[in-house]
Amino acid sequence: MDIIDAIILGIIQGLTEFLPVSSSGHLELGKAILGDNTLPEESLLFTVVLHFATALSTLVVFRKDIFDIIKGLFQFKWNEESQFAIKIILSMIPAVLIGLFFEEQLESLFGGNILLVGMMLIVTALLLWLADKAKDTQKPVSYRNAVVIGIAQAIAMLPGISRSGATISTSVLLGNDKAKAARFSFLMVVPLIFGKIAKDILGGEITTDSGNFTALSIGFIAAFLSGLVACTWMIKLVKKSKLSYFAIYCLVVGIIAVGFGYSNL
């Protein structure tokens, strides 16, 4: 992977992370279009690094919310911040279990499987269409909701299933407010990504010899900067716009990807 490819893929990640269109799916499509031939493990590593970059941009954009949560936790009271933190932890459990017990199987799916990406984008389109039909409410995310949303997040580890699309759609279908669902969706993934990076570093999987370090660094910077820009205005777009627009986009891209995938069987 050369520098230009890394920049393009980094920008794709930064722009698509905050819209319900599957950043991982678009990364796989981008790699296929650019002719990337890295091994599945290296491909997944690049994907994780780019997700880490956008997680960092999320921290920057949501710094006030995160500071308030940390401040509330140190009050050592059963307050709103403590309850929110517990819900985040509950939402993480399904994805953590998948990561611990099915990591190798998951890695094998990140090797340019365009047919799978296309089919999962169509599934994402269906989820978004269903969520668009749900009534908007002021209902907050409950503990039970957090677990169900966490299961949706675990399923969204498949390339082509939008993580934000799956979690926001699931939350809305459960009757939660769209604005609260979006906030919870973007914050719930941050601990998982940082945990994944820490696990890989401690396990020796991420070193200066892991793939092309220069490409990883350039991709990281591109994803972080584009993520900062995207997160400031695209989150508002997710909250205010109808999800059906994104459903149509995912459906069209999914059909094209399925056709492309079948033609290369």
Side-chain angles (χ1 to χ4, degrees):
M1 182 181 298
D2 60 30
I3 302 303
I4 299 300
D5 290 351
I7 293 174
I8 292 174
L9 293 175
I11 293 175
I12 290 175
Q13 165 64 22
L15 294 178
T16 59
E17 174 66 22
F18 302 103
L19 286 178
V21 295
S22 179
S23 58
S24 63
H26 278 71
L27 281 178
E28 291 302 302
L29 292 175
K31 291 171 188 175
I33 293 172
L34 294 172
D36 178 49
N37 295 315
T38 56
L39 296 174
E41 293 81 3
E42 294 173 336
S43 183
L44 180 59
L45 171 62
F46 189 75
T47 300
V48 169
V49 169
L50 295 190
H51 275 85
F52 176 71
T54 47
L56 193 59
S57 67
T58 304
L59 288 182
V60 174
V61 174
F62 283 98
R63 58 188 180 278
K64 184 180 183 302
D65 297 74
I66 295 171
F67 177 76
D68 289 341
I69 292 172
I70 295 174
K71 182 180 177 181
L73 288 175
F74 277 98
Q75 293 178 0
F76 300 104
K77 297 179 180 179
W78 190 242
N79 51 28
E80 183 179 345
E81 291 77 17
S82 298
Q83 295 175 41
F84 187 85
I86 294 297
K87 293 172 184 177
I88 291 292
I89 293 173
L90 288 174
S91 72
M92 292 168 53
I93 294 175
V96 169
L97 293 176
I98 294 294
L100 288 175
F101 296 107
F102 300 98
E103 185 173 11
E104 291 185 6
Q105 292 87 338
L106 188 62
E107 285 180 352
S108 66
L109 300 176
F110 284 81
N113 192 338
I114 304 304
L115 182 59
L116 174 63
V117 170
M119 291 189 293
M120 293 303 99
L121 279 171
I122 293 173
V123 172
T124 296
L126 177 61
L127 281 173
L128 294 173
W129 182 80
L130 290 173
D132 192 54
K133 302 301 179 182
K135 294 182 179 179
D136 199 7
T137 68
Q138 295 299 314
K139 180 183 175 183
V141 177
S142 68
Y143 294 105
R144 184 181 69 84
N145 291 164
V147 175
V148 177
I149 296 168
I151 294 173
Q153 177 169 248
I155 296 173
M157 295 171 78
L158 293 170
I161 295 286
S162 166
R163 193 205 63 80
S164 62
T167 52
I168 292 174
S169 295
T170 300
S171 185
V172 171
L173 289 171
L174 289 171
N176 296 311
D177 175 69
K178 287 184 179 180
K180 294 181 176 67
R183 176 174 176 265
F184 188 80
S185 171
F186 292 127
L187 289 176
M188 68 187 283
V189 73
V190 174
L192 280 177
I193 294 177
F194 281 104
K196 170 64 176 173
I197 294 293
K199 174 180 176 293
D200 289 344
I201 292 176
L202 294 174
E205 297 177 34
I206 295 182
T207 65
T208 54
D209 297 325
S210 297
N212 188 328
F213 185 74
T214 301
L216 288 174
S217 300
I218 295 298
F220 176 91
I221 294 171
F224 175 74
L225 294 177
S226 59
L228 281 178
V229 174
C231 195
T232 55
W233 61 272
M234 286 190 180
I235 291 177
K236 295 179 181 179
L237 191 61
V238 171
K239 293 178 181 178
K240 296 179 180 180
S241 297
K242 291 187 176 181
L243 294 176
S244 58
Y245 297 142
F246 302 108
I248 294 171
Y249 173 82
C250 288
L251 179 62
V252 172
V253 176
I255 291 174
I256 293 173
V258 168
F260 182 81
Y262 269 118
S263 67
N264 286 277
L265 287 179

